[in-house]
Amino acid sequence: MTDNQQTNNEYIFIVRCGEVALKGMNKPYFERMLLDRIKKLLKKFDGVKAYRHEGLIYVRADKELNPGAEGKQAILKEIGKVFGVASISPAMECESTMEDIGRKAVEYMMEAIEERGVKTFKVEAKRADKNFPVKSPDIARQIGAAVLKGCKVLKVDVHEPDVRLFVDVRHDKSYVYQDKIPGFGGLPLGTNGKGMSLLSGGIDSPVSTWMMAKRGMLIEAVHFHSFPYTSQRAQEKVEELASLVATYCGRFRMHVINLLPIQEQIVQNCPEEETTILVRRFMMRIAEELARANDCNMLITGENLGQVASQTAEALVVTDASVSMPVMRPLIGMDKTDIMDLAQEIGTYEKSIEPYEDCCTVFLPKHPSTKPKLEKILQSEAKLDCEGLIKAAVESEEIIEIRPA
């Protein structure tokens, strides 16, 4: 089988790195982590291989084992979930000669005419191999002429073409492609420590978890419930949300804690208006205990400044005073509408808005304190066996293995 026959039997995807390319001496490490993640997600497909070459990652897939547009799109979708990927281009490969590049360009444009009724085009060339005898502007001009000759229905439009045809000339092979499909960017999973996410059934916490995973952080999660005030179905909803997040960050463990005994003690012994902030401080302490036991570097919450009573500046200061571990709040300055848009983009929004109970709404005071004072909160906590309550909560945990949806 010739090289061209081999290429025609394969889908070829060019995968570009985002911030990974800026990592200097550490770049090879980040590229290896990115490649490993791509390979892991593509294991579900037969006849697919991925490798690094000249600063890019290439994915090749057997067309017969992954037939038609559905097979191609399924592979594209999986690559697009990988944090660290800036863009992806389905491409045609050819020899690094003007004649072979011209032939592939004509073949590519003939397919575009048949499939989409393309009428205009523009060629943009990049000469990564500086020893190639033809300079980039001349490559674009000559390949454009070859396309006009081979596809007589086409015209050149340098301003608003139907197809922007890219030619990437490299040392051993060259590539012709149209699309630069954007990825999520960020950093490869596992390059930035591990965080314990406080995961609820709302809109915010799944998005904040996703955002920290996008920065390369491995995820562990804790979910609080108040059974029987909250139902089993409410917990199942959170598990389903976690599975949606896991499609991006891989499988992780979720620690499930019954918060009801602590809530009951707070309601019986502390001022009503302090209930929300006191419960929140217990949640943070429990999360910190679990984080330290599971090698996590920090806590992750979906808190957003001023959104609810427990998220005012004063309340957040009092909340943070309950733990010594750093708390990451990636949504802190975002508008709610922007958070909702991102939830829709990553696929968690519809599940998040399903109407099930949440432990934070149990024993909710009519007038929660929005400007709590730490000294008063500490006085209230002195009425409680804080260490005993936290120890009992941690010891009663249930651990659920979360797998991608």
Side-chain angles (χ1 to χ4, degrees):
M1 183 180 291
T2 67
D3 285 346
N4 279 341
Q5 286 174 323
Q6 179 69 39
T7 299
N8 287 336
N9 290 331
E10 292 179 319
Y11 299 118
I12 298 173
F13 305 94
I14 299 173
V15 182
R16 300 175 192 84
C17 308
E19 288 183 56
V20 171
L22 306 176
K23 291 301 178 182
M25 296 292 288
N26 292 322
K27 181 181 174 183
Y29 163 72
F30 282 87
E31 287 181 341
R32 285 195 302 271
M33 295 291 284
L34 180 59
L35 180 59
D36 287 346
R37 181 63 183 160
I38 291 172
K39 286 180 176 179
K40 188 172 183 178
L41 281 186
L42 295 181
K43 278 185 178 179
K44 65 183 72 174
F45 301 100
D46 294 323
V48 177
K49 58 183 178 181
Y51 59 93
R52 289 189 296 156
H53 185 58
E54 294 184 344
L56 295 173
I57 291 174
Y58 294 86
V59 175
R60 294 176 179 269
D62 190 302
K63 288 183 178 180
E64 292 184 2
L65 297 176
N66 303 279
E70 289 184 0
K72 183 178 180 181
Q73 289 302 316
I75 294 168
L76 266 173
K77 184 177 179 181
E78 289 302 315
I79 300 171
K81 292 176 183 176
V82 178
F83 296 133
V85 171
S87 67
I88 315 157
S89 293
M92 282 187 170
E93 185 181 78
C94 54
E95 299 299 321
S96 290
T97 66
M98 291 301 296
E99 294 76 17
D100 205 35
I101 295 170
R103 281 194 294 271
K104 281 296 181 183
V106 171
E107 182 183 339
Y108 190 98
M109 292 309 302
M110 288 297 290
E111 288 185 8
I113 293 168
E114 292 174 10
E115 294 175 1
R116 304 192 298 278
V118 169
K119 295 180 180 179
T120 62
F121 77 104
K122 175 187 178 181
V123 178
E124 296 186 13
K126 181 177 73 172
R127 186 180 57 145
D129 177 13
K130 300 306 179 185
N131 292 320
F132 192 75
V134 185
K135 294 183 179 180
S136 297
D138 294 326
I139 295 172
R141 191 160 41 248
Q142 292 180 37
I143 299 304
V147 171
L148 286 172
K149 184 178 179 180
C151 308
K152 299 189 183 299
V153 298
L154 291 178
K155 294 182 179 179
V156 173
D157 184 343
V158 298
H159 300 295
E160 295 183 2
D162 295 335
V163 168
R164 198 175 297 271
L165 185 66
F166 296 96
V167 176
D168 187 357
V169 179
R170 296 187 168 263
H171 176 66
D172 49 353
K173 298 288 183 181
S174 293
Y175 300 88
V176 175
Y177 55 90
Q178 172 193 349
D179 297 315
K180 290 184 178 180
I181 302 165
F184 285 114
L187 296 171
L189 277 170
T191 58
N192 244 338
K194 185 178 179 184
M196 177 66 71
S197 178
L198 282 73
L199 192 62
S200 74
I203 294 171
D204 299 338
S205 61
V207 174
S208 66
T209 305
W210 181 91
M211 289 181 71
M212 293 307 296
K214 180 184 172 184
R215 300 308 304 162
M217 180 164 282
L218 294 173
I219 297 299
E220 194 109 353
V222 55
H223 170 63
F224 297 94
H225 67 83
S226 302
F227 186 82
Y229 289 92
T230 56
S231 65
Q232 179 61 33
R233 183 64 191 96
Q235 180 177 319
E236 290 170 358
K237 171 192 169 181
V238 177
E239 292 175 27
E240 291 166 9
L241 267 173
S243 291
L244 292 172
V245 176
T247 60
Y248 300 94
C249 65
R251 58 190 296 177
F252 61 88
R253 298 195 308 169
M254 184 168 76
H255 306 257
V256 180
I257 302 289
N258 187 351
L259 202 61
L260 184 59
I262 292 174
Q263 290 174 299
E264 290 175 334
Q265 286 297 308
I266 291 172
V267 169
Q268 292 169 16
N269 295 282
C270 303
E272 181 188 8
E273 67 274 10
E274 294 178 356
T275 301
T276 300
I277 193 68
L278 286 166
V279 168
R280 191 66 185 169
R281 281 168 59 88
F282 270 97
M283 292 169 73
M284 297 292 280
R285 286 168 172 161
I286 293 167
E288 184 178 45
E289 289 283 328
L290 294 170
R292 295 195 187 283
N294 291 278
D295 301 319
C296 296
N297 308 102
M298 56 193 64
L299 306 180
I300 304 167
T301 81
E303 290 164 314
N304 176 258
L305 188 62
Q307 184 169 257
V308 294
S310 64
Q311 297 176 24
T312 62
E314 294 86 350
L316 292 177
V317 169
V318 172
T319 298
D320 279 0
S322 65
V323 294
S324 59
M325 184 171 281
V327 182
M328 297 293 106
R329 296 183 172 98
L331 311 185
I332 193 70
M334 292 178 66
D335 288 345
K336 186 67 174 185
T337 52
D338 293 333
I339 299 170
M340 292 165 64
D341 288 344
L342 185 49
Q344 289 178 324
E345 184 179 357
I346 67 176
T348 58
Y349 180 78
E350 293 300 328
K351 180 59 62 176
S352 290
I353 62 174
E354 289 182 1
Y356 288 100
E357 318 85 9
D358 185 276
C359 70
C360 293
T361 62
V362 177
F363 306 121
L364 191 67
K366 291 182 179 179
H367 303 288
S369 175
T370 58
K371 295 184 178 182
K373 300 295 183 183
L374 181 58
E375 54 271 25
K376 290 187 177 181
I377 296 298
L378 292 175
Q379 289 172 7
S380 295
E381 286 182 347
K383 304 172 185 177
L384 306 170
D385 177 13
C386 294
E387 289 187 10
L389 289 169
I390 292 169
K391 184 174 184 289
V394 170
E395 288 177 349
S396 67
E397 71 171 334
E398 175 190 2
I399 298 177
I400 298 174
E401 295 287 340
I402 302 296
R403 291 175 172 81

